[in-house]
């Protein structure tokens, strides 16, 4: 069977990306799942970053590529695939057999015999290589096996001129076109190989490489897959492509990374600082950086999007469907990168001052965080007569590589058999009958507790129960699991949640309330129907909202996640910036019109391809079977969905958006309520508004202007209070200063300390200013208690300063008494404290400290 390409984001915890055509089929190779067919073929979009440093330097390495593959799950093996591959390349494609070479694994005499005897390849065209070249694995763990590759000799013009150049050389001459993997082992975490249940075949051929040979051009970048992109880069940069030199290198890197970035975004990846998003960010930034080396400084990657789309849109329609998102994300990321580059230049400039050598760490930070290629740093440094510690840079770079390798391994993740996959294998998929009923009979086929299969469970136990068929909906596609009861004549169990521990297997998470439940029992499974009705309402409401958001905000809106629960729904989608109140109201109105029209909600089963071509929305990360359910609200929306819905939109009643927030770059989340919950909220809000209105007195129409008036009044009252406090403070102060002046003769510095009830920092400062002006020989220490906290301000006049007074030190010491801290300059300082009861004590203590300051010493500690 020919399968369409699967997503770049694999359904596989051990891998960040789909790195090969075999990735989506891993469970079949491992024997975890039984495939529907034993022979499959795909043209699979792939992302691999292990060759990133070679991209652009060779004619054949990429980060994104299409892999043509054919797979046998325990069906044909070595003796079939070798002659078939040969026949395909020589007879169908028409490659010159005399230019072809086969490589095999060191001790694979069987493959050698097939190449030699069945195909007729001569000994001098068969090479044996070791683990690096002829043993293939998708990752550190998982299915793997020896392989055999077909190479094509492109001739000496592609070679490196070394006398040792032969198959296996790193240059472009002997091009690996097709890899045939004899997938027969599973490697575990300890590196141990165990034979797989069956012998399988996994082959992979690079479409780009095959194209370059067939089109007889000098490498992948001159094929029709890349040439138009490179031409567009030429136009933007205003320079011509030359194979050798920096133009050629930059254009190859840009066109490669651009394809990868566009496809990653189309599959739902957004720039981030880790995981897949980090790889995307690096690719966009690397491409932008290479753009600078050929003189492009403005954001330009988004200008390449149309040409990439034109080349690839058949069959990858996601490039067209996600055009808006690709544009937005690339534009934002490149703009952000330009800013970072500027900041990097500032950093570098600062680092260059007074230095002869720039440290490797700084050079690496510039490279890693700011995207400065080492050459750029080197050039700027050379201009300033500074050298770069390149060994240090390499060391930092190696550390980073190690970190990246470790994180991409995601070593704790496993993909293997467990009690649930075994149950699935033995008993088959659970039949779900919940589309047509809320209660049904089924037979217990498994009871699981702590990953162990049991044959019975008794009162008080919490166990997972598997039935052959059930009306319970397991959490999936955003809709949460059903709750309800399972009962037999001698047993009653409550279902707390329903889940899919593995695709196809529904488990009821139960607590046994009474009696004993045994494998083999017939049970009556009853879903909590009221809760389910509420879930249905929220689920259909989600679909209505999804379409309304597209209508109001634009076609770039795409679901990024959802949660459908009985009392609310949550919907995440790609969009840039918050929704305005008008937009929210528009969305709600569109949804409400659909509800008023009371349209039937139609469910149809169709083939995936048919559904997609009819324009039904599908989620990028979701894996769909061949036959899908399509949910349609006539003349409004159509979406692939396995969930539960109301039968007519009128049952929803009302949908109200209650919250809109950003949850990451370019993703928004709305929360909404529907049905009875929406009514409840409406009633609650109207009651609340009526209460407020009653308290304020007057008409509802003028309520908000009256609240505004109240707030204005409050502000002006606050201002008045402050003014009054200040006035009172100043009056009492003037009196105090007058008295003090009588006691202290002439210009001798004087401490004026006082408390001002309820005065904030601003007032204390104003008072301080007055004192300073009135007596330049004074130091003011002013304190107040506001909201249970102490505020202290100290200010010293000119003359006091000249005599050694220091406001900062003074405040620092006294603030300790009120359990606080602070300080500042000699002329002005501030502190806070937690103990208002000690404020007077603190002010009293100030005199001794002050005296010591002007006497040129420090006070005795008591
Ligand atoms: N998985 C093998 C590879 O990627 C063959 O498909 O080379």
């Amino acid at each position: 069977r020919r399968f369409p390409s699967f997503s770049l984001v694999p359904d596989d915890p051990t891998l960040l990306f789909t790195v090969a055509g075999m990735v989506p089929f891993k469970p079949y190779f491992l024997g975890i799942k039984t495939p529907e067919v034993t022979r499959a073929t795909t043209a699979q979009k792939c992302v691999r970053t292990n060759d990133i440093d070679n991209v652009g330097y060779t004619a054949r390495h990429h980060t994104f590529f299409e892999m043509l593959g054919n797979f046998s799950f325990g069906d044909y093996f070595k003796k079939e695939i070798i002659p078939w591959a040969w026949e395909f390349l020589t007879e169908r494609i028409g490659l010159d057999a005399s230019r072809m070479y086969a490589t095999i694994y060191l001790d694979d005499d069987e493959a050698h015999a097939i190449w030699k005897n069945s195909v007729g390849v001569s000994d001098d065209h068969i090479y044996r290589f070791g683990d690096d070249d002829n043993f293939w694995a998708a990752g550190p763990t998982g299915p793997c096996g020896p392989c055999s590759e077909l190479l094509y000799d492109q001739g000496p013009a592609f070679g490196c001129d070394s006398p040792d150049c032969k198959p296996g050389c790193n240059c472009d001459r002997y091009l690996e076109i097709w890899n045939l993997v004899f997938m027969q082992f599973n490697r575990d975490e300890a590196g141990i190989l165990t034979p797989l249940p069956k012998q399988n075949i996994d082959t992979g051929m690079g479409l780009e490489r095959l194209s370059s040979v067939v089109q007889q051009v000098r490498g992948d970048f001159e094929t029709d897959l890349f040439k138009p992109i490179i031409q567009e880069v030429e136009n933007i940069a205003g320079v011509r492509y030359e194979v050798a030199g920096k133009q050629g290198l930059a254009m190859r890197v840009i066109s490669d990374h651009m394809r990868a970035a566009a496809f990653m975004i189309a599959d739902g990846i957004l720039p981030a600082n880790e995981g897949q998003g980090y790889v995307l960010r690096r690719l966009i930034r690397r491409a932008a950086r290479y753009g600078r080396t050929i003189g492009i400084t403005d954001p330009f990657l988004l200008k390449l999007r149309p040409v990439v789309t034109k080349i690839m849109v058949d069959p990858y329609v996601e490039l067209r469907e996600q055009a808006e998102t690709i544009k937005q994300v690339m534009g934002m990321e490149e703009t952000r990168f330009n800013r970072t580059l500027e900041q990097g230049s500032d950093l570098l400039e600062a680092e260059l001052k007074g230095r002869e050598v720039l440290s490797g760490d700084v050079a690496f930070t510039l490279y890693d965080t700011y995207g400065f290629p080492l050459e750029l740093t080197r050039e700027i440094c050379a201009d300033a007569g500074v050298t770069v510690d390149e060994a240090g840079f390499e060391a930092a770079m190696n550390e980073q590589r190690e970190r990246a390798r470790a994180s991409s391994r995601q070593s704790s993740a496993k993909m293997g058999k467990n009690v649930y996959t075994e149950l699935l294998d033995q008993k088959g998929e659970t039949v779900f009958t919940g589309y047509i009923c809320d209660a049904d009979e089924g037979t217990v086929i498994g009871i699981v507790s702590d990953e162990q299969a049991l044959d019975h469970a008794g009162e008080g136990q919490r166990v997972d129960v598997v039935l052959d068929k059930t009306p319970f909906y397991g959490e999936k596609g955003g809709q949460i699991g059903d709750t309800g009861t399972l009962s037999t004549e001698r047993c009653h169990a409550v279902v707390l949640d329903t889940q899919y521990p593995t695709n196809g297997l529904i488990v009821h998470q139960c607590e046994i309330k009474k009696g004993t439940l045994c494998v083999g029992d017939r049970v009556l499974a009853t879903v909590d129907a009221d809760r389910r009705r509420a879930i249905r309402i929220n689920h259909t409401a989600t679909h209505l909202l999804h379409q309304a958001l597209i209508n109001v905000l634009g076609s770039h809106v795409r679901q990024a996640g959802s949660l459908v629960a009985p009392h609310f729904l949550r919907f995440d989608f790609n969009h840039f910036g918050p929704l305005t109140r008008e937009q929210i109201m528009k969305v709600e109105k569109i949804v409400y019109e659909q509800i008023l029209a009371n349209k039937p909600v139609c469910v149809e089963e169709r083939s995936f391809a048919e559904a997609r071509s009819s324009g039904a929305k599908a989620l990028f990360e979701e894996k769909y079977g061949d036959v899908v359910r399509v949910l349609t609200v006539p003349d409004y929306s159509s979406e692939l969905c396995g969930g539960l819905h109301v039968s007519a939109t009128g049952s929803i009643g009302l949908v109200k958006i209650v919250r809109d927030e950003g949850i990451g770059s370019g993703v928004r989340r709305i929360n909404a309520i529907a049905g009875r919950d929406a009514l409840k909220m409406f009633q609650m809000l109207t009651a609340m508004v009526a209460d407020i209105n009653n308290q304020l007195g007057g008409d509802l129409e003028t309520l908000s202007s009256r609240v505004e008036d109240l707030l204005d009044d409050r502000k002006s009252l606050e201002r008045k209070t402050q003014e009054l406090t200040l006035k009172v403070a100043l009056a009492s102060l003037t009196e105090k200063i007058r008295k003090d002046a009588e006691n202290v003769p002439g210009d001798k510095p004087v401490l004026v300390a006082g408390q001002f009830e309820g005065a904030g920092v601003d007032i204390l400062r104003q008072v301080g200013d007055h004192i300073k002006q009135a007596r330049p020989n004074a130091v003011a220490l002013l304190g107040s208690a506001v909201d249970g906290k102490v505020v202290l301000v100290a200010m010293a006049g000119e003359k006091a300063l000249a005599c050694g007074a220091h406001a900062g030190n003074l405040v620092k010491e006294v603030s300790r008494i009120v359990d606080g801290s602070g300080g500042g300059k000699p002329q002005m300082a501030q502190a806070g404290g937690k103990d208002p009861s000690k404020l007077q004590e603190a002010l009293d203590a100030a005199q001794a400290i002050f005296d010591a300051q002007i006497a040129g010493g420090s006070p005795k500690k008591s």
Side-chain angles (χ1 to χ4, degrees):
R1 179 183 302 172
R2 184 195 292 173
F3 288 84
S5 177
F6 295 83
S7 168
L8 280 178
V9 181
D11 185 9
D12 179 341
T14 65
L15 294 169
L16 277 188
F17 295 105
T18 300
V19 292
M22 54 75 70
V23 167
F25 300 113
K26 256 170 82 177
Y28 303 151
F29 290 125
L30 288 170
I32 298 174
K33 283 189 186 160
T34 315
E36 276 175 56
V37 290
T38 56
R39 297 178 176 194
T41 177
T42 54
Q44 173 66 47
K45 46 186 174 177
C46 300
V47 162
R48 261 188 214 181
T49 49
N50 47 343
D51 287 327
I52 193 167
D53 292 328
N54 286 327
V55 172
Y57 288 94
T58 69
R60 63 182 200 279
H61 285 103
H62 304 285
T63 55
F64 171 90
F65 58 96
E66 289 172 273
M67 185 180 275
L68 311 179
N70 56 294
F71 311 94
S72 153
F73 314 123
D75 194 298
Y76 58 83
F77 198 54
K78 248 183 235 188
K79 69 177 192 320
E80 289 88 8
I81 190 60
I82 289 178
W84 288 350
W86 183 262
E87 177 190 331
F88 181 78
L89 284 184
T90 57
E91 291 178 29
R92 315 287 147 164
I93 301 289
L95 299 189
D96 177 357
S98 71
R99 288 181 172 228
M100 308 250 289
Y101 288 79
T103 68
I104 56 173
Y105 189 58
L106 291 176
D107 61 2
D108 195 349
D109 295 333
E110 190 189 351
H112 185 270
I114 302 171
W115 281 119
K116 190 171 170 185
N117 304 331
S118 316
V119 178
V121 177
S122 60
D123 265 335
D124 60 345
H125 274 229
I126 305 175
Y127 282 73
R128 292 180 191 253
F129 291 112
D131 285 345
D132 281 350
D133 294 292
N134 279 77
F135 194 93
W136 200 86
T141 62
C144 55
C147 62
S148 178
E149 286 186 322
L150 272 161
L151 317 187
Y152 180 79
D153 179 5
Q154 306 204 80
F158 287 77
C160 54
D161 292 335
S162 153
D164 295 333
C165 185
K166 58 173 190 286
C169 180
N170 263 339
C171 73
D172 285 321
R173 175 167 177 178
Y174 296 96
L175 185 66
E176 299 160 16
I177 300 186
W178 200 351
N179 187 12
L180 318 175
V181 185
F182 313 127
M183 197 65 92
Q184 55 200 112
F185 300 109
N186 181 27
R187 183 154 51 198
D188 67 15
E189 277 107 63
I192 298 178
L193 299 177
T194 338
L196 289 169
K198 286 179 180 154
Q199 293 184 319
N200 311 290
I201 289 293
D202 150 33
T203 84
M205 170 152 54
L207 176 67
E208 296 77 4
R209 291 183 183 185
L210 182 65
S211 306
S212 83
V213 172
V214 171
Q215 294 172 15
Q216 298 184 352
V217 288
R218 286 202 55 102
D220 301 359
F221 293 95
E222 297 192 10
T223 64
D224 53 2
L225 288 166
F226 283 96
K227 200 125 196 229
I229 311 177
I230 290 191
Q231 279 164 353
E232 192 62 35
V233 184
E234 285 183 309
N235 291 343
I236 296 170
V239 291
R240 303 224 22 97
Y241 177 80
E242 282 163 25
V243 177
K246 73 174 187 187
Q247 276 100 331
L249 174 65
M251 291 183 192
R252 287 188 294 272
V253 173
I254 291 167
S255 58
D256 171 88
H257 290 8
M258 174 63 205
R259 293 197 329 154
F263 272 93
M264 285 162 87
I265 300 169
D267 275 355
I269 299 171
L270 293 169
N273 285 333
E274 54 180 29
Q276 294 147 341
Y278 178 62
V279 176
L280 171 62
R281 172 159 284 166
R282 256 185 89 200
L283 289 173
I284 295 179
R285 293 185 168 204
R286 258 183 130 235
R289 192 176 90 196
Y290 273 98
R292 293 198 162 226
T293 67
I294 51 171
I296 315 177
T297 49
D298 286 339
F300 71 103
L301 290 174
L302 68 171
K303 294 189 196 151
L304 299 174
R305 188 198 55 79
V307 58
V308 172
T309 307
K310 193 164 167 219
I311 302 168
M312 307 297 279
V313 71
D314 179 13
Y316 303 108
V317 288
E318 58 270 36
L319 290 180
R320 187 169 49 220
E321 288 174 354
Q322 298 310 323
E324 197 54 35
T325 307
I326 298 172
K327 244 195 273 182
Q328 299 256 26
V329 171
M330 286 197 165
M332 285 209 320
E333 188 62 23
E334 230 192 314
T335 309
R336 189 179 290 177
F337 176 59
N338 278 351
R339 270 206 304 275
T340 320
L341 268 183
E342 276 158 28
Q343 289 162 356
S345 306
D346 292 346
L347 170 73
L348 182 53
E349 210 168 286
E351 286 288 336
L352 285 178
K353 283 207 186 100
R355 237 180 255 275
E356 286 177 11
V357 181
L358 185 81
S359 82
D361 280 340
V362 174
F364 180 72
T365 305
L366 283 166
Y367 167 81
D368 192 48
T369 311
Y370 297 96
F372 275 49
L374 184 60
E375 308 81 70
L376 182 66
T377 306
R378 206 187 277 139
E379 272 168 31
I380 301 174
C381 286
D383 287 346
V386 173
T387 56
V388 180
D389 170 14
E390 300 203 8
F393 174 85
E394 274 308 320
M397 180 85 147
N398 283 336
E399 263 174 46
Q400 149 89 356
R401 283 207 188 104
E402 227 0 88
R403 274 198 305 275
R405 212 168 293 150
S407 79
S408 76
R409 237 176 256 148
Q410 302 178 324
S411 49
S412 66
K414 263 197 231 138
M415 193 184 208
K417 279 190 195 254
N418 58 40
V419 62
Y420 300 106
T421 59
E422 303 225 321
L423 253 173
L424 181 70
D425 223 29
Q426 289 160 15
K427 313 275 173 155
E429 299 197 353
T430 316
V431 176
F432 175 63
T433 59
Y435 290 130
I436 42 172
C437 57
D438 291 340
D440 198 2
E441 278 194 5
T443 304
V444 178
I445 57 167
I447 300 177
V448 176
S449 171
D450 284 336
E451 314 250 317
Q452 301 288 330
L454 311 175
D455 51 18
H456 68 275
E459 209 166 294
Q461 263 186 288
R462 285 211 172 192
V463 287
D464 287 351
V465 177
V466 183
L467 305 179
D468 60 343
K469 74 180 180 16
T470 179
F472 278 72
Y473 184 88
E475 175 162 348
K476 203 179 194 179
Q479 181 180 325
I480 68 170
D482 276 327
T483 60
T485 58
L486 300 183
S487 50
T488 68
E489 269 168 21
R490 30 187 195 117
C491 175
H492 180 75
V494 173
V495 180
L496 305 165
D497 195 3
T498 311
Q499 292 286 339
Y500 281 94
T502 183
N503 251 341
L505 194 81
I506 300 178
V507 312
H508 308 76
Q509 298 179 348
C510 295
E511 186 174 331
I512 313 275
K513 291 287 184 193
K514 200 188 90 195
T516 305
L517 189 69
C518 303
V519 172
D521 281 357
R522 289 290 286 168
V523 299
L524 178 66
T526 314
V527 173
D528 178 339
D530 282 341
R531 182 173 176 275
R532 175 181 265 190
R533 204 168 301 127
I535 292 173
R536 284 179 187 276
I537 286 175
N538 277 296
H539 204 157
T540 311
T542 308
H543 285 224
L544 296 184
L545 272 174
H546 187 177
Q547 186 61 44
L549 286 165
I550 293 174
N551 294 358
V552 173
L553 303 176
S555 62
H556 63 280
V557 167
R558 177 178 54 170
Q559 175 165 353
S562 72
L563 178 67
V564 177
H567 296 297
F568 77 102
L569 69 93
R570 197 171 75 198
F571 187 74
D572 300 343
F573 58 101
N574 296 75
H575 183 61
F576 306 86
L579 275 62
T580 62
R581 184 187 282 182
E582 288 68 35
Q583 285 171 329
I584 290 180
M585 286 171 49
K586 231 176 176 173
V587 167
E588 289 169 347
K589 176 146 190 298
I590 293 174
V591 170
Y592 192 58
E593 293 301 334
Q594 295 302 315
I595 294 171
L596 277 188
N598 196 20
K599 291 184 178 171
V601 177
C602 316
V603 180
E604 258 185 309
E605 294 207 329
R606 303 175 84 168
S607 77
F608 179 76
E610 237 174 55
R612 286 296 279 151
S613 62
S614 78
K617 300 191 220 37
L619 272 192
F620 49 81
E621 83 273 30
E622 203 105 311
K623 269 243 193 88
Y624 296 97
D626 297 329
V627 178
V628 291
R629 295 178 96 234
V630 182
L631 194 102
T632 306
V633 176
D635 302 324
Y636 182 69
S637 88
S638 173
E639 196 166 325
L640 267 58
C641 184
L644 297 170
H645 290 269
V646 295
S647 51
T649 56
S651 324
I652 298 171
L654 177 69
V655 178
K656 177 81 191 88
I657 295 173
V658 290
R659 190 164 162 180
D660 160 46
E661 60 187 331
I663 55 161
S665 77
V667 184
R668 307 286 316 166
R669 164 170 294 174
I670 54 172
N671 284 290
I673 52 175
R676 292 199 173 91
D677 292 292
L679 174 71
K680 249 191 237 158
M681 160 148 296
F682 179 66
Q683 290 174 329
M684 195 227 5
L685 286 177
T686 38
M688 199 157 87
V689 172
D691 285 349
I692 296 172
N693 198 45
N694 283 344
Q695 278 170 354
L696 297 184
D699 294 336
L700 205 53
E701 289 72 49
T702 59
L703 180 60
S704 68
S705 71
R706 268 176 297 133
V707 171
E708 258 167 44
D709 290 349
L710 261 180
L711 290 175
D712 284 349
D713 286 355
R714 190 193 144 131
K715 258 190 219 134
S716 80
L717 275 176
E718 262 168 13
R719 236 186 346 261
K720 276 188 194 139
T721 316
Q722 294 276 326
E723 279 163 14
L724 262 173
T725 316
L726 183 62
K727 249 189 210 154
V728 173
L730 287 177
S732 75
L733 197 75
T734 320
E735 179 56 20
K736 187 171 163 58
I737 293 173
R738 198 183 52 75
K739 274 203 192 132
D740 284 351
E742 276 168 15
N743 299 336
V744 183
D747 277 347
K748 194 164 178 281
V750 56
L751 177 73
V752 181
Q755 259 199 66
F756 299 93
E757 231 9 82
V761 175
D762 288 345
I763 291 200
L764 294 185
R765 282 192 185 195
Q766 290 183 46
V767 175
D769 276 334
H770 275 277
I771 296 175
K772 253 170 52 180
Q773 268 159 29
R775 294 198 64 174
N777 63 336
V779 169
L781 177 67
L782 313 167
S784 75
V786 187
D787 299 334
K789 287 200 182 108
V790 176
V791 186
L792 285 165
V793 167
M795 289 170 102
E798 296 286 314
K799 287 190 184 155
L801 282 173
C803 296
H806 193 296
N809 293 343
L810 178 65
V811 119
K812 193 166 166 188
E813 294 207 29
V814 297
S815 64
R816 286 198 198 116
I817 299 173
V818 288
D819 192 13
S821 60
K825 300 204 175 104
Q827 57 273 37
M828 155 78 201
Q830 200 173 305
K834 292 182 210 135
D835 188 356
S837 70
K838 297 258 181 72
L839 179 54
Q840 193 53 52
E841 192 183 313
L843 294 174
D844 293 344
Q847 190 66 47
I849 303 165
F850 172 76
D851 289 345
Q853 283 187 347
I854 54 175
S858 56
K860 272 188 254 126
K861 297 247 160 60
S862 57

